[in-house]
Amino acid sequence: MTQILLVGDIHAMDRPPVNATESYMDDIIEMLRWTIEYAAKNDITVIVWAGDVFHHKSPSRTSHALVLRMISVLQYAAEKGVEIWAVTGNHDISNDVLASIQEKQPLGVLYQAGLKELVGWHPTLPLYGVPWRQDWTTNENSAWEAFKGWRQSEGPIIGETDLVEPIDITTALAVTHAPIYPPKDAENIQWDLVPTRGEKGISAAMDNSGFLYYGHIHEDHGIYEVEGVTYANMGAISRGSLHEYNLEREIKVAVWDDGTSMDGPVGGVAPSFTEVVVPHKPAEEVFKIAQAEEKKAERLSLDAFLSDIGSSTLDVSSTGSAIEHIRTRKDVPAPVRKTAIEILEEVE
């Protein structure tokens, strides 16, 4: 039986987000340690972090102290007999260049300290990793290029032999970091996404087979199926922005089971994702909600004043809201939007 625990975006940072309490990072470390304990208690030996391990793309904004805290998480996992792997997210690299990981990024330090980088097939498991791609939304063939190895590779070495056995991709798991939304919600999203449906979509790129867990999207999308592929996203383990979904959602991770459990009927059970709720503080203990409401009231007063004089304003109550606004501006060229968002994310 193969079980893998999957964790969404961590966004480790030294200073808490503007609307968060001072214990923000302490709480995230505590939740990460809980996932390790949960894995150990349930005989799960592999955890995969689905990208954006760190928040700031500029290495100078991540202290040595924070890197050491994350290394301590890896050490705790090793003590518990749990191996942690990660796919690289867009916040883990500079200027969307994957080579920057080893050149200067804190995630590269974690890879040197014991975190395993998941790119392509895992050495022994039916597990395939796809890091962030700069061209996810600008190249219509990006999904096909990203999952080429999934479709064509013979797969990792299985068991104790030296023979390479083909992977059955109908029961294998892929993990990526990409802008993906369920089809029922994608049509209402105004920024660029990687399609799941159609001949250029991820499902077709995966040969309409298998399972995909993805990071990058902080909302909880749950578990759903599109054209033969079962998708899952439990949302970020972090709650850095004061969006409504962060006030209401539970913090969850997922466990993927390859369906070979000895407890099931003859022939095993169907591979599946299972949601697991992580013990976490309520939103009112994570966010400075009262202060945020005061800022909102001030902004609404300003909006009313500007409306009276025939002007208008953008919601600037947070950097996040400005980023969301830029994403929706399809009248602005994509490269300009991308650069503006990167600049705002750096000052967030």
Side-chain angles (χ1 to χ4, degrees):
M1 175 178 66
T2 298
Q3 289 186 304
I4 297 171
L5 193 147
L6 302 150
V7 178
D9 299 35
I10 297 168
H11 285 276
M13 62 181 77
D14 285 286
R15 297 176 60 187
V18 64
N19 289 314
T21 61
E22 291 302 316
S23 66
Y24 179 80
M25 195 61 218
D26 295 335
D27 298 338
I28 289 179
I29 295 292
E30 184 176 339
M31 288 189 287
L32 291 176
R33 289 174 67 90
W34 183 90
T35 64
I36 293 167
E37 293 165 1
Y38 178 90
K41 290 176 182 177
N42 289 278
D43 297 321
I44 299 171
T45 59
V46 174
I47 293 175
V48 179
W49 292 345
D52 282 359
V53 176
F54 290 95
H55 181 66
H56 292 295
K57 299 178 182 181
S58 174
S60 63
R61 298 192 64 188
T62 300
S63 72
H64 291 166
L66 179 59
V67 174
L68 287 173
R69 293 191 76 182
M70 294 301 291
I71 289 175
S72 73
V73 172
L74 301 179
Q75 293 172 334
Y76 186 64
E79 292 171 6
K80 294 289 186 178
V82 177
E83 199 169 61
I84 301 182
W85 291 70
V87 296
T88 299
N90 58 307
H91 276 255
D92 296 316
I93 55 181
S94 300
N95 302 315
D96 278 346
V97 178
L98 288 173
S100 66
I101 302 169
Q102 299 299 338
E103 293 173 355
K104 56 185 178 181
Q105 285 292 342
L107 182 61
V109 178
L110 292 195
Y111 285 146
Q112 293 294 323
L115 179 65
K116 306 294 185 180
E117 185 176 8
L118 184 61
V119 180
W121 286 106
H122 184 281
T124 59
L125 299 175
L127 172 63
Y128 186 84
V130 178
W132 173 263
R133 290 176 61 98
Q134 183 178 19
D135 65 350
W136 271 131
T137 59
T138 58
N139 174 9
E140 65 176 5
N141 295 314
S142 64
W144 280 83
E145 293 169 3
F147 289 92
K148 179 180 179 180
W150 171 273
R151 299 189 306 275
Q152 299 178 0
S153 173
E154 292 183 335
I157 296 174
I158 302 298
E160 299 179 356
T161 71
D162 291 330
L163 298 177
V164 175
E165 299 182 7
I167 284 290
D168 179 5
I169 61 174
T170 64
T171 58
L173 169 68
V175 182
T176 191
H177 191 87
I180 299 170
Y181 260 75
K184 66 182 180 62
D185 298 324
E187 58 190 32
N188 298 319
I189 301 300
Q190 298 182 30
W191 56 86
D192 298 322
L193 302 173
V194 183
T196 55
R197 297 186 296 193
E199 62 179 13
K200 298 293 185 179
I202 290 180
S203 293
M206 292 179 65
D207 234 3
N208 303 105
S209 299
F211 296 77
L212 177 66
Y213 192 89
Y214 58 94
H216 187 60
I217 305 300
H218 292 196
E219 302 168 54
D220 177 6
H221 287 172
I223 302 165
Y224 59 97
E225 185 175 338
V226 181
E227 297 179 351
V229 174
T230 301
Y231 293 77
N233 175 294
M234 301 297 107
I237 200 169
S238 58
R239 286 178 287 180
S241 57
L242 193 53
H243 289 293
E244 184 175 349
Y245 62 80
N246 274 331
L247 295 177
E248 299 176 351
R249 72 181 177 96
E250 293 184 302
I251 305 302
K252 293 185 288 187
V253 294
V255 172
W256 178 78
D257 189 318
D258 70 349
T260 60
S261 171
M262 297 303 294
D263 296 331
V266 176
V269 296
S272 62
F273 290 111
T274 301
E275 298 181 354
V276 178
V277 177
V278 179
H280 57 279
K281 291 180 177 179
E284 56 267 25
E285 294 181 23
V286 175
F287 296 108
K288 301 173 183 176
I289 296 178
Q291 294 92 321
E293 288 297 324
E294 290 178 5
K295 291 181 181 178
K296 182 177 180 181
E298 291 173 0
R299 178 182 56 78
L300 291 175
S301 296
L302 177 60
D303 286 350
F305 169 74
L306 291 172
S307 177
D308 287 342
I309 63 174
S311 184
S312 61
T313 185
L314 164 69
D315 178 359
V316 291
S317 59
S318 70
T319 305
S321 62
I323 291 173
E324 295 299 321
H325 176 78
I326 292 170
R327 281 179 173 150
T328 66
R329 291 292 301 271
K330 290 299 183 70
D331 57 318
V332 177
V336 176
R337 278 183 282 145
K338 176 177 175 294
T339 301
I341 289 171
E342 287 183 348
I343 292 172
L344 287 170
E345 286 175 337
E346 278 304 307
V347 300
E348 188 176 7

